[in-house]
Amino acid sequence: MTTTIRDRTDPDLGPCAQVLAQVHEHDGYPVNWPAAPDTWLTPPALLDAWVAELHGKVAGHIVLSRSGTEDAAPGLWRARTGAGQDTTAVINRLFVAPTARGHRIGAALMAHATTQARTRGLHPVLDVLASDTAAAALYERLGWQLLGTVEQQWTPTQTVAVHCYAAAP
């Protein structure tokens, strides 16, 4: 079975939102369901987005963006390396359809986004909920380095622990 990774287009937003709904139901990601999933899939600091297709259907998704105030990993990376403010790119909005797992789609999307970040001269980093042990295990299998764990206040009543990772130098 061949997986194809390609640029995400506007017509992909509907199928991506459908897959995201399946992931949310199966895994609870994202924790807080967005009011407008297509907008959530397109963060303001977006650099690029890709989809993975399996058998010609959208089976996975990933985004590369500039860091925002909600991203902890870029600050930890800068503190560790002394790198400048604009030296990182954040990998986010990664998900794979529950029915498409086991085909290394997540790893392929991560490799693609990492390569694209490096092509832009940026170091890829990411944040993941500490409770998302499957995602953290994937990043560690791929050689990503845990920078630290921080607590973030997502809403006035919701504080979460977030692991921050960076791709190996």
Side-chain angles (χ1 to χ4, degrees), residues 68-92:
T69 55
E70 71 282 0
D71 299 307
L76 292 179
W77 177 252
R78 287 191 299 272
R80 178 174 284 192
T81 64
Q85 176 83 18
D86 294 327
T87 62
T88 59
V90 178
I91 292 177
N92 53 30

Side-chain angles (χ1 to χ4, degrees), residues 41-60:
L41 291 168
T42 309
L46 177 77
L47 292 171
D48 216 336
W50 302 275
V51 295
E53 288 186 336
L54 184 64
H55 304 299
K57 293 187 177 189
V58 171

Side-chain angles (χ1 to χ4, degrees), residues 5 13 29 84 108 114 142-143 148 165:
I5 307 237
L13 287 173
Y29 174 83
T114 298
L142 297 175
Y165 285 90

Side-chain angles (χ1 to χ4, degrees), residues 27-141:
D27 303 318
Y29 174 83
V31 169
N32 300 322
W33 182 253
D38 54 338
T39 302
W40 184 82
L41 291 168
T42 309
L46 177 77
L47 292 171
D48 216 336
W50 302 275
V51 295
E53 288 186 336
L54 184 64
H55 304 299
K57 293 187 177 189
V58 171
H61 178 271
I62 198 165
V63 162
L64 186 68
S65 59
R66 287 285 186 187
S67 62
T69 55
E70 71 282 0
D71 299 307
L76 292 179
W77 177 252
R78 287 191 299 272
R80 178 174 284 192
T81 64
Q85 176 83 18
D86 294 327
T87 62
T88 59
V90 178
I91 292 177
N92 53 30
R93 310 305 196 255
L94 169 63
F95 55 90
V96 175
T99 57
R101 294 181 184 165
H103 298 281
R104 300 198 39 82
I105 292 171
L109 284 164
M110 286 292 294
H112 188 81
T114 298
T115 298
Q116 293 300 316
R118 292 181 195 269
T119 298
R120 289 176 162 90
L122 301 170
H123 194 86
V125 297
L126 61 85
D127 297 340
V128 63
L129 282 174
S131 60
D132 194 347
T133 56
L138 169 67
Y139 306 140
E140 291 174 13
R141 269 195 317 275

Side-chain angles (χ1 to χ4, degrees), residues 151-160:
E151 289 207 350
Q152 292 183 326
Q153 189 80 38
W154 281 9
T155 69
T157 59
Q158 183 183 37
T159 301
V160 296

